[in-house]
Amino acid sequence: ILEKYISNARVEHNVQSRIGGIVMNVKTGEVLAMSSKPDYDLNNPFVITDEMTLEKLASQYAEGSEQYQTAYRTQQLEYRKNKIVTELYDPGSTFKIFTAAMALEEDLVPLTESFHCSSQINMGAITYHCANNRAHGSEDFKEAMANSCNVVFVTVADRIGVDRFYRYFTLFGFREKTGVGLPGEVSGIFFGEDTMTKWNLYSASFGQTFQITPMQLISGVSAIANGGTYMKPYILDRIVDQDGNIIQQTEPQAISQIVSQSTCET
């Protein structure tokens, strides 16, 4: 099911790089499905079978030429990587889930507080804009969430402050590998605790100027869906012998309670 829908999304949105998706049990951290497209045929790993890739290569280079072969090998190597754990990206507005959780947990913003968005907010050295310079006008915090309003989230981040933001960022697991049990996993790229500025804070509040992996993101989101408890993600459920006896069983592991149940419900 996952492969079907990410393949459809790749075509629908004209994805130029690879696309990936994960399905996770938020109560246990178990990865139920994970896939990246394009990928490769395990039975024929050195041959690209993706038609879109082959068409693109054929349109750029003469088939059989040195340039074609070089580009072919480059794509081959890329498709053999697990995008979910080996590639970093800016999470963008999906990260507003976490900024909101921080603010609610610290009781820094009532849901009914009134804000005004004129499409931008000046914070001294830098002016921050909403997407497409859209002005949302008057809105409370719930509406700011629905509108994905950068102006409000910069305002709220200013209340959270660098120290608290950095602490929660760490608790949600974004500064280290998840330990999901897959080779090649990388950790995120974030500011140093002693060098992070308030302008770094403002841009980070809506998911920009730092990078994480998709596995880190879903593990953090799952913690909020799980009432604030961060579960260590895992791939391997169990190992059995030829007679069906369980040799090894993975038990769900709760790492920490990051925010309260009530914050998550809100």
Side-chain angles (χ1 to χ4, degrees):
I1 293 171
L2 174 65
E3 293 202 334
K4 170 186 174 182
Y5 282 103
I6 64 172
S7 295
N8 291 346
R10 180 186 172 210
V11 175
E12 181 181 349
H13 297 286
N14 192 27
V15 175
Q16 295 302 302
S17 185
R18 298 167 76 207
I19 189 170
I22 321 170
V23 180
M24 180 178 283
N25 181 335
V26 303
K27 297 294 184 183
T28 65
E30 180 182 6
V31 176
L32 305 176
M34 178 174 58
S35 181
S36 302
K37 295 292 181 183
D39 53 8
Y40 63 99
D41 183 351
L42 291 166
N43 298 305
N44 200 4
F46 298 107
V47 175
I48 295 176
T49 57
D50 180 62
E51 292 182 4
M52 290 173 65
T53 300
L54 294 173
E55 289 174 4
K56 184 177 180 180
L57 289 172
S59 70
Q60 294 176 328
Y61 312 101
E63 191 168 348
S65 67
E66 184 176 341
Q67 293 92 336
Y68 182 94
Q69 295 300 329
T70 299
Y72 191 100
R73 287 192 294 270
T74 300
Q75 294 290 257
Q76 242 183 8
L77 291 172
E78 182 179 359
Y79 296 170
R80 290 169 68 85
K81 292 192 302 179
N82 185 342
K83 182 181 182 74
I84 302 301
V85 295
T86 67
E87 295 184 19
L88 299 168
Y89 76 123
D90 290 39
S93 289
T94 58
F95 195 82
K96 288 172 180 165
I97 296 170
F98 304 103
T99 306
M102 298 176 201
L104 292 170
E105 183 71 9
E106 297 291 332
D107 199 23
L108 298 173
V109 55
L111 293 180
T112 56
E113 181 177 350
S114 180
F115 298 90
H116 183 80
C117 169
S118 64
S119 83
Q120 64 183 38
I121 182 169
N122 182 279
M123 300 301 287
I126 301 175
T127 297
Y128 298 87
H129 300 265
C130 277
N132 302 315
N133 287 315
R134 180 181 177 187
H136 296 111
S138 296
E139 53 187 346
D140 61 23
F141 189 64
K142 290 185 293 183
E143 291 166 332
M145 280 285 287
N147 293 331
S148 191
C149 180
N150 291 348
V151 167
V152 170
F153 274 84
V154 168
T155 303
V156 171
D158 195 48
R159 301 175 188 177
I160 296 171
V162 169
D163 292 342
R164 276 189 293 206
F165 190 95
Y166 195 92
R167 176 167 57 86
Y168 278 107
F169 190 91
T170 302
L171 288 172
F172 275 113
F174 297 127
R175 295 184 52 245
E176 58 187 10
K177 300 175 184 179
T178 66
V180 68
L182 292 169
E185 183 179 16
V186 297
S187 59
I189 299 175
F190 197 60
F191 315 100
E193 185 173 9
D194 297 330
T195 58
M196 185 175 177
T197 69
K198 61 181 180 180
W199 295 285
N200 298 146
L201 165 68
Y202 301 148
S203 57
S205 72
F206 51 90
Q208 293 186 12
T209 65
F210 69 90
Q211 294 189 320
I212 58 176
T213 65
M215 184 60 70
Q216 286 176 308
L217 179 65
I218 194 172
S219 299
V221 171
S222 292
I224 292 177
N226 186 37
T229 302
Y230 184 98
M231 305 297 296
K232 182 177 180 178
Y234 64 94
I235 293 288
L236 184 66
D237 177 43
R238 61 187 178 272
I239 299 174
V240 298
D241 64 18
Q242 60 185 2
D243 298 319
N245 300 308
I246 296 176
I247 299 171
Q248 179 182 329
Q249 177 85 47
T250 301
E251 296 296 334
Q253 181 181 352
I255 302 299
S256 63
Q257 182 76 24
I258 305 172
V259 291
S260 65
Q261 176 81 33
S262 61
T263 289
C264 295
E265 288 173 355
T266 301

